[in-house]
Amino acid sequence: MPDLTPAQVRTLAVHAQGLHGPDTFRHTPAEVLDALGCIQIDTINVVRRSHELVMLARGVSSEAARAFASHQDKATFFEYWSHAAAFTPIGLWPLFAFRRRRIATRGWQGPDVDQQACADVRTAAFERGQVTISDLGGMTGAGWDRSSPHKWAAEWLWAIGELVCVRRQGWKRVYEPAEQALPEHLRMADLDDGTCLQRLIQIALRNLAVATTEDVADYFRLPAPQVLMHLEQMPEVQRVSVDGWPDDTWAHSNVLEHQRDVDEARITPLSPFDSLIWTRPRMRRLFGVEYLLEAYKPAAKRECGYFGMPVLAGDRLIGRVALRTNRKKAVIEGFQSIDASWTPAVDTAAETAAAWADATLTPEPS
């Protein structure tokens, strides 16, 4: 069993995520998405949409990141429950058949679905080709309580694969019939559950470099017992020993064959939903910190701010910064560094985040 130091694992993990290393991911949104396997989506937009921040951190241009979700070209992604709600490369559609089948047969955690509403949504989608919730009559209520029978019908048909979302419009899902939006070879692929899980495990481990069973399972929200069974049987995967990590820690053999380096001078603010850090126990094992998103805490209880962006310097997390942007101006709402020596690096990250928001960083009013 190979022995790895925590510092080696940290470097391997940052490199595998396409951060602060050689240009392994290139610089288009589709290339970054293909490399990562999925990019989590979130509605918060105080700096940029979270998926845009993930792309910007890996060298995608501001314009390309902004246009990605609303493209009108050939589909390069589909939106699905891969890691929470996430953009996922279109080529991985067959690998989530296991999840679509499970929802279709066992149900889901959402509300009861009205069958007449399903029939209405199905008919509208096939007749128009594309529909949004607004096209289906919109919703009633406010905030998180906004809902309608047609909304949940569309969500259900999307969850079981009758409808797909391969683009957004004004940040609303655009629902399309799968048979119209997806290439036939993807729709007709018939993979059993075991094959789906094995291939997703391979993608997850490639992007994690070194990971526990729970880390691997969380990447695509797979059942941990089945993930462990597959890892134990995969000849290209081996157990590794890392000081302070659980016994069930794994690496792909290829990861251990080459020395990986990162640029220690690079400083990058990260979305709190970035796949490098979205598993909080893994964040603590890798970086010795555990930053929680505070957007849903009362303001008085926040340690950093509404949208605290962790700051990656080389292969270390050295603090975080929370910005508020409005009318081309950005204000630092909160600021943390692990010690005073890293304060200039966090300042640099704040400037980068403000530039991504096309805003000028200004002092907070006294």
Side-chain angles (χ1 to χ4, degrees), residues 34 76-78 88-95 186:
D34 285 345
T76 59
F77 71 83
F78 68 100
T88 310
I90 196 73
L92 300 192
W93 170 264
L95 303 189
L186 296 178

Side-chain angles (χ1 to χ4, degrees), residues 278-352:
W278 62 20
T279 304
R280 299 307 185 233
R282 177 176 171 83
M283 183 198 294
R284 177 165 290 281
R285 276 183 272 112
L286 283 174
F287 301 107
V289 297
E290 188 173 350
Y291 295 137
L292 302 178
L293 179 69
E294 298 180 302
Y296 306 112
K297 286 185 177 182
K301 295 186 177 182
R302 295 174 188 152
E303 296 179 4
C304 182
Y306 180 82
F307 192 69
M309 298 180 67
V311 178
L312 184 69
D315 63 358
R316 300 179 65 187
L317 286 185
I318 50 81
R320 59 178 171 168
V321 61
L323 296 188
R324 285 279 189 173
T325 62
N326 184 37
R327 297 182 180 179
K328 303 289 186 178
K329 292 183 179 180
V331 174
I332 296 178
E333 181 187 36
F335 182 103
Q336 292 177 311
S337 61
I338 57 174
D339 61 56
S341 66
W342 287 110
T343 297
V346 181
D347 285 336
T348 298
E351 293 170 0
T352 298

Side-chain angles (χ1 to χ4, degrees), residues 164-235:
V164 298
C165 174
V166 296
R167 70 195 88 246
R168 284 197 168 219
Q169 181 186 98
W171 199 239
K172 294 181 292 188
R173 281 187 186 143
V174 177
Y175 296 97
E176 304 176 43
E179 63 189 60
Q180 296 178 21
L182 297 177
E184 184 177 7
H185 73 280
L186 296 178
R187 288 190 294 106
M188 300 306 293
D190 186 19
L191 303 181
D192 60 45
D193 287 7
T195 301
C196 293
L197 291 176
Q198 183 172 347
R199 292 188 186 176
L200 289 172
I201 290 167
Q202 291 169 335
I203 295 168
L205 191 56
R206 180 192 72 202
N207 282 287
L208 296 168
V210 177
T212 66
T213 301
E214 293 291 341
D215 294 341
V216 176
D218 186 65
Y219 204 87
F220 290 115
R221 301 291 168 88
L222 306 176
Q226 294 182 44
V227 169
L228 176 60
M229 178 189 70
H230 282 284
L231 286 168
E232 290 175 330
Q233 296 173 358
M234 294 166 68

Side-chain angles (χ1 to χ4, degrees), residues 112-283:
D112 292 339
V113 178
D114 182 86
Q115 293 304 308
Q116 182 58 53
C118 283
D120 294 343
V121 171
R122 190 181 287 115
T123 298
F126 276 90
E127 287 181 350
R128 303 183 194 182
Q130 298 181 358
V131 292
T132 67
I133 294 299
S134 297
D135 297 325
L136 298 169
M139 294 184 287
T140 59
W144 292 106
D145 294 326
R146 296 175 70 230
S147 184
S148 77
H150 288 112
K151 166 188 164 58
W152 293 116
E155 292 280 302
W156 168 258
L157 295 172
W158 170 75
I160 64 174
E162 280 195 44
L163 300 182
V164 298
C165 174
V166 296
R167 70 195 88 246
R168 284 197 168 219
Q169 181 186 98
W171 199 239
K172 294 181 292 188
R173 281 187 186 143
V174 177
Y175 296 97
E176 304 176 43
E179 63 189 60
Q180 296 178 21
L182 297 177
E184 184 177 7
H185 73 280
L186 296 178
R187 288 190 294 106
M188 300 306 293
D190 186 19
L191 303 181
D192 60 45
D193 287 7
T195 301
C196 293
L197 291 176
Q198 183 172 347
R199 292 188 186 176
L200 289 172
I201 290 167
Q202 291 169 335
I203 295 168
L205 191 56
R206 180 192 72 202
N207 282 287
L208 296 168
V210 177
T212 66
T213 301
E214 293 291 341
D215 294 341
V216 176
D218 186 65
Y219 204 87
F220 290 115
R221 301 291 168 88
L222 306 176
Q226 294 182 44
V227 169
L228 176 60
M229 178 189 70
H230 282 284
L231 286 168
E232 290 175 330
Q233 296 173 358
M234 294 166 68
E236 70 274 24
V237 173
Q238 58 183 303
R239 288 183 186 268
V240 296
S241 174
V242 184
D243 186 32
W245 285 47
D247 291 337
D248 63 332
T249 298
W250 312 87
H252 193 287
S253 300
N254 291 344
V255 169
L256 306 177
E257 293 176 359
H258 304 286
Q259 179 66 36
R260 309 294 183 184
D261 297 306
V262 298
D263 183 349
E264 296 295 338
R266 294 270 292 277
I267 299 167
T268 304
L270 300 175
S271 164
F273 305 104
D274 194 290
S275 47
L276 176 68
I277 55 172
W278 62 20
T279 304
R280 299 307 185 233
R282 177 176 171 83
M283 183 198 294

